[in-house]
Amino acid sequence: MLGNFPTAHVGNFETAFTRLDWPPLIGFLSDAIIRTVTEVQVTRQATQALQATWRQRRAFRKGSAALRALDLLTDYPVLTASRLGHLLDITPPAAQTALAQLCQVGILTERTGYARNRIYAAEEVLTILNRPFGEEPALPDPSS
């Protein structure tokens, strides 16, 4: 297996190029495209389910920076206060407050241990994104 793709097509690349026998190569590329689209759909569904789980962890104030940040974390799972402030167009203190609230309920974790220039990560998103190709995403228990 090449990733999770059948290797039957791989040995035929040389044949495809030297003998102009294109069907094996076309088959391989078609399989790769179909599996990649499926993987993207599964990932998107998992991140949407994760966002719903996050919203149950705390009653966020409507329109708050922390609530708005939840929509960004699947696309920006690692960020700084400065980056969050820029993305949401909010002040540095508002960004710090949002990050603190998200850390408090376990949505973000601070990774550096520094007092300044901290980096925050949505570990659950990273787990979904970093899983092996074709493997089902592991989602947290919504009741926790």
Side-chain angles (χ1 to χ4, degrees):
M1 296 291 260
L2 179 65
N4 278 345
F5 296 117
T7 56
H9 299 297
V10 177
N12 295 327
F13 283 146
E14 187 175 323
T15 304
F17 289 114
T18 58
R19 296 185 187 167
L20 300 178
D21 183 17
W22 297 107
L25 179 60
I26 292 169
F28 176 80
L29 292 175
S30 297
D31 288 345
I33 291 167
I34 290 167
R35 290 173 188 233
T36 300
V37 168
T38 301
E39 184 73 5
V40 168
Q41 290 170 336
V42 168
T43 301
R44 179 53 67 190
Q45 289 170 354
T47 56
Q48 288 171 346
L50 181 60
Q51 286 176 324
T53 300
W54 286 344
R55 283 176 169 71
Q56 294 173 0
R57 291 188 186 171
R58 176 187 171 130
F60 294 100
R61 191 173 38 88
K62 183 178 178 181
S64 70
L67 181 62
R68 291 172 43 214
L70 293 180
D71 293 329
L72 295 174
L73 291 177
T74 56
D75 295 326
Y76 300 93
V78 178
L79 43 74
T80 62
S82 174
R83 180 72 173 150
L84 181 64
H86 175 74
L87 291 169
L88 294 178
D89 194 25
I90 56 177
T91 64
Q96 289 291 349
T97 300
L99 291 169
Q101 290 173 350
L102 295 172
C103 285
Q104 215 172 29
V105 292
I107 294 170
L108 289 178
T109 56
E110 196 281 321
R111 286 186 152 190
T112 61
Y114 302 146
R116 299 175 53 156
N117 302 318
R118 293 179 173 173
I119 297 173
Y120 298 86
E123 302 293 343
E124 294 161 321
V125 175
L126 294 176
T127 299
I128 291 170
L129 297 177
N130 292 327
R131 74 188 189 284
F133 187 88
E135 188 176 290
E136 285 297 313
L139 293 172
D141 181 11
S143 61
S144 60

